[in-house]
Amino acid sequence: MSLFEPFHLPFMARALVELVILGVLAGTVGVLVLLRRLAFVSDTLTHTVFPGVVIGYLMAGQDGVFWGALAAGVLTAVLLTVLAHRRRVSEDAALAMVLTSLFAVGVVLVSRRTAFTSDLTQFLFGRILTVTQEQLVQTAVVTVLVAGLLAVLRRQLMLRTFDPEGAAASGIRVGLLDLVMNVAVALVVVAAVQAVGTILVIALLIVPAAAARALSDRLVLIVPLACLIGALGGWLGLAASYEASVYHGLRLASGGTVVLVLVVLYGVATLAGAVRRRVGLGRARLSTPELEMTR
Amino acid sequence: MTQQQDRTAALVLEKASVAYGHVPVLEELHGTVRSGEAVALIGPNGAGKSTLIKAVLGLVPTVRGRIEVLGVTPAQARRDVAYVPQADTLDPDFPVSVEQVVMMGRYRKIGWLRRPSATDRTLAAEALERVGLSDRAKNRFGTLSGGQRQRVLLARAIAAQPRLLLLDEPFNGVDAVSQHALLEAIALLKQQGAAVVVSTHDLAIAHLACDEVCLLNRHQFGFGPTDAILTPERLRATYGGHALELRGDRVIVTQT
Amino acid sequence: MSWLDSTVHRAMIEAALVGVLGGVVGVFVIARRLPFFTMALTHGTFPGIVIAALLGVDLYLGGGVFGLLVVLAVVVFSRARGQDFTAATGIALSGGFALGVVLVSAQDGFSKDLTAYTVGDVLAVSTTDLVITAGVAVVVLVVMAALGKELLLVAFDRDGASAVGLPTAVLDFALLAIIEVTVVATVPALGAILTVALLVGPAATARLITDRLVLLFPIAVAVGVSCALAGVWVSTQWNVAAGASIALFCGAAFGVAFLASVLRGRLRPAAGVLAPPAAVPEEARA
């Protein structure tokens, strides 16, 4: 399989750049999603952006899509933050209802159009191979914004994630921080959804971080590893789908192929992590709690 | 008595009532904890011990009366107050090392964009030394035993250099070695002038570590010097029917 | 010409059947906190349906078998250290769906099949589909009637259930199988994404309305059936996707019940302040 040749083509090169940027962005945010157990929240955000995309498109054509998605994403982020702080209804049930209801609004709006099926398909799978220069710039800007935000807030976020009560006790405004976190996820979704579609966004947010977590216990390593795995998955997935369609006459959706490559990478990482721990077990034995106590 | 009054009041409760929403959880609490003193909050489960700690942190509102921390309101005092949660409420899988946990105690003083300074590192290392876990600094938090985790959390609080330290049931399910280390570290903090509030249902520990006791069960059943307050009558009142008297001067609590 | 020859009549019956199924099974989905897992299950049946279509075997069978694989994958993933159930579910969800997408993309008529799959088409159900859904409904209701109290005990108090000698692992599997079968029967009508609305919405609504277990099932069924019928009716009147309008009715019912419960809480502040009513009986966090 040729890993470099396909990317001499301009559209493949743009797709690769988009996926590498997104891999880095989603890898970073994904570690927080993993540690805060926000997978379902992220999944909800990927779906609730849909009505925003549709309304934006109906109002202002292709240019409206980004802003519609942004409005819907931020709105859902606020809604989810508010719902999470209510105890009257279990959070996952509330998430499921927000997800399906808002997604249904999008489907209802789009189902009255003649190009129903192709619109929906584009939203679910994106068009990674037709990414424009402008979209690349949008993604890059969002990445810089989110990365900057997380860098500034990293200590507060870490304390809140590890010990919510302790964070509140030390004066951190947990509700506000949770809103920032949800907005960060929403921004990732908005930046990515047009190019890669909902399914790939959720995979990029969850799978690389989970793989990195399996490989390391140290946060300083987990974040760069997640970025690396996300970008690697994008590269290998694109190369594989290109190879299949050009040389083997097998059309494989690029977004879907990237997800499958990511899941395979996750499997490899889990195995590698298990092997590494088994090897390291001999060393770890020396300092088990039981021995500590008898000393 | 005059000697005690020379010490500044770290925590003042003035007929304070604390409530979630409209329903009061704790009513009419009254008492003072001075710098260098330790007070034990004692009462059955659901008595409101944790709620009182949260109120002192300003996380639960005081609806009547007043709670004053270090001369100001609870929310204003947070910078000089440290809180030690129960270790088993934290995710043992979290990828964070022992020294990182201790460094969290310095977060408020480090500032937004700065890296921890040499002072921060020294203070964190000293705090870990004090609970006797320096050799575990690089280990992942979750690989430690329950008692060791509790000691790390105390080290985190020590690193914050608090003037008031709040501990929520720190001795629950803790092994003897760790209990000893916790008690020593708390005693040293007291010597250095910090006030300590610790909730527990272990009367022996209250005797060992604390100068004063606050008996709680929705209301205050006594607040004062340990020996004066831990009487069979008061314990029976606090715990209802779950206190048994032994040989006239000892009490065991059958249900906590 | 039989009454069943009308598309609308068939759709109405199908909707009513999945409404009943969703309401009954949903009570357990809520009690065991499985909404996200159900989501993964709906996505995971996708590659199964595609493969079944390619091989020419029964679509329901293909979806069912793949759904089981997803159950296994989630169980295996969540046993990995440092991974929780949510992350494992997310991985299974995106991986399963991506596999389906890649398989479909190799075929012609890509986007049309996919649309039917993701948002469903209740107006296209055949008499055979109806028979299958009815069969599933009967089986699920019989199993529920037979195992209902055991399943509830496991949901309510797992340790207690094993203490009295109930095979909790077998019961867990039975519950997952029931959800799985319900998903496979519902997906053709509502689609992968919106099926969750019917499997969560009515039960969550019922949970907001009542704290009494005996009332939970009838209310959930009533809400499920009315939402499903109303959705089909709106869809035929205004030419919108039926699955979406059913999901919207579920969302609206839930929203109204939620607001009502908030208002009720405001009016009677004393109740439930000390012990705020969780959405699930506390003990049901299995």
Side-chain angles (χ1 to χ4, degrees), chain C residues 4-210:
Chain C
L4 276 179
D5 285 341
S6 155
T7 335
V8 177
H9 290 164
R10 281 203 304 270
M12 287 285 185
I13 296 180
E14 174 77 10
L17 285 171
V18 294
V20 172
L21 269 176
V24 173
V25 177
V27 171
F28 287 95
V29 172
I30 295 286
R32 296 293 293 270
R33 309 200 163 224
L34 293 172
F36 191 37
F37 178 78
T38 308
M39 192 84 185
L41 213 49
T42 59
H43 285 66
T45 56
F46 183 30
I49 292 176
V50 179
I51 292 174
L54 288 179
L55 298 177
V57 296
D58 187 72
L59 297 187
Y60 289 104
L61 186 70
V65 168
F66 247 80
L68 284 182
L69 289 180
V70 169
V71 175
L72 279 178
V74 171
V75 171
V76 170
F77 288 163
S78 59
R79 286 175 70 94
R81 209 181 43 97
Q83 312 288 350
D84 64 311
F85 189 73
T86 331
T89 309
I91 296 169
L93 181 153
S94 49
F97 198 67
L99 182 60
V101 170
V102 168
L103 288 171
V104 172
S105 67
Q107 316 300 309
D108 290 321
F110 176 35
S111 48
K112 187 156 189 319
D113 289 353
L114 207 59
T115 310
Y117 177 75
T118 44
V119 298
D121 192 357
V122 73
L123 293 173
V125 289
S126 65
T127 314
T128 326
D129 292 334
L130 270 187
V131 172
I132 290 175
T133 312
V136 167
V138 169
V139 170
V140 166
L141 290 179
V142 166
V143 172
M144 283 288 173
L147 294 180
K149 66 179 190 313
E150 283 80 8
L151 287 172
L152 281 171
L153 180 56
V154 174
F156 178 74
D157 173 13
R158 203 180 168 71
D159 293 339
S162 2
V164 297
L166 287 180
T168 47
V170 175
L171 285 169
D172 281 348
F173 184 78
L175 178 62
L176 293 181
I178 287 171
I179 298 176
E180 153 87 18
V181 167
T182 308
V183 163
V184 172
T186 313
V187 163
L190 265 84
I193 296 167
L194 299 173
T195 291
V196 176
L198 203 53
L199 267 165
V200 172
T205 309
R207 187 65 192 84
L208 284 172
I209 294 173
T210 180

